[in-house]
Amino acid sequence: MIRMSADAIKLLKPKVFDKSKWMQLPRDVVIGLDVIGQIPSVCEDLKLGKSALLISGKSTMRLAGDTIREILDENYTIKPFIAEEISMPVIKKAQKAAAGMDFLIGVGGGRVIDTAKIVSYNLDIPFISVPTAASHDGIASSRASVPTVEGHASLDAQPPIAIVADTGIIASAPHRFLASGCADIISNYTAILDWELAHRVKGEPISEYAIALSKMTAEILVKNSHIIKPHQEPSARFVTNALVSSGVAMSIAGSSRPASGGEHKFSHALDKLAPGKALHGESCGIGTIISMYLHGGDWKGIRASLKSIGAPVTPAEVGIDDAIAVEALLMAKTIRPERFTIFDTGLTRESAENLIQMLYRE
Ligand SMILES: [Zn+2]
């Protein structure tokens, strides 16, 4: 037997763990029609305990939350919590309500899932992600987006321990959400180009595995964009699989880099300048067209895919003035300035104006 020296053992116990260096992945991923009924089996499989706080929105509680409560009622203590918005006061209230509970279930759209994710991280208890729409890749990732006074902040959290995505429920959500989820996946293309650019310019480390998975996910989606139709269960399943795959790429990278570049910074800037207009994925999709043009890639192909899915390709389509989109382009580089992207390479007001006008060209 080889004995380790005391010095070697010391090396194994670093005083501070940097969890961002860990690959944290969901353990049970269940995607399909009517899989909501499998939640008790998932809880049992993961031995999560006997009590949970179920975080949901008002309408998503009616849509799915109440059913989950009913099916878990026999063997679990489930306490409902309505999170109408994502904000620090709501997160604090949810944390108080979850005190002493074994785990969390987040049932709803992006805001609900992100709230559950942050509460789970802060209390260090696991959470199950039950998305009711496939609108962005946060359903499976370790990142959470929270509005702050300065705009949106992207926080380190932890990925869900399980994802139960009932594609029947997801297919019944407005098509706008699904199209937005597709656009969030398509943005992987430029997110990767920005990451590779940062690697070449700044020496930022990259993960080829994360890049390969993220790129493949976007490619499969674009190749099949013609089959993505409103309110079809197979379409919902297809997009949900892609969102999970994108989330896994982020877990492998230990950051959102494989799925978030300049187009995401543009999206965050738009959230600040025109709050409540575009869905996350919608503005990312528009940003992807611009970023792809700057990278010298097939921006027209990206635009055609977004169009065929039913995602917007101009600011006007989401009710945003071109002048505001120009400001957002110029503001993009000031958001998370440490994340180098193509928008850091000398955009002027004139070039930003031309880029927005280009979106409308045939
Ligand atoms: Zn995104």
Side-chain angles (χ1 to χ4, degrees), residues 135-138 184-185 187-188 250 259-260 263-264 267-268 280-281 284:
S135 57
H136 68 84
D137 55 24
D184 202 14
I185 294 159
S187 77
N188 289 4
M250 287 188 258
S260 169
E263 74 298 318
H264 270 67
S267 162
H268 294 316
H280 167 77
C284 288

Side-chain angles (χ1 to χ4, degrees), residues 5-7 11 32 38 48 71 95 100 103 108 205 213 222 224 234 248 254 281 325 332 340:
S5 70
D7 280 350
L11 278 177
Q38 295 179 33
L48 296 178
I71 53 179
Q95 264 167 225
F103 64 103
L213 180 59
V222 165
N224 293 284
V248 169
F340 185 83

Side-chain angles (χ1 to χ4, degrees), residues 183-184 186-194 256-270 280 283-292 295 329 332 339 341-343:
D184 202 14
I186 290 174
S187 77
N188 289 4
Y189 276 117
T190 46
I192 292 164
L193 290 173
D194 278 337
S256 60
R257 256 298 193 187
S260 169
E263 74 298 318
H264 270 67
K265 301 218 256 181
F266 170 71
S267 162
H268 294 316
L270 272 185
H280 167 77
S283 45
C284 288
I286 297 168
T288 300
I289 304 171
I290 300 168
S291 172
M292 190 53 108
H295 277 290
L329 261 190
R339 177 160 291 191
T341 77
I342 195 85
F343 294 149

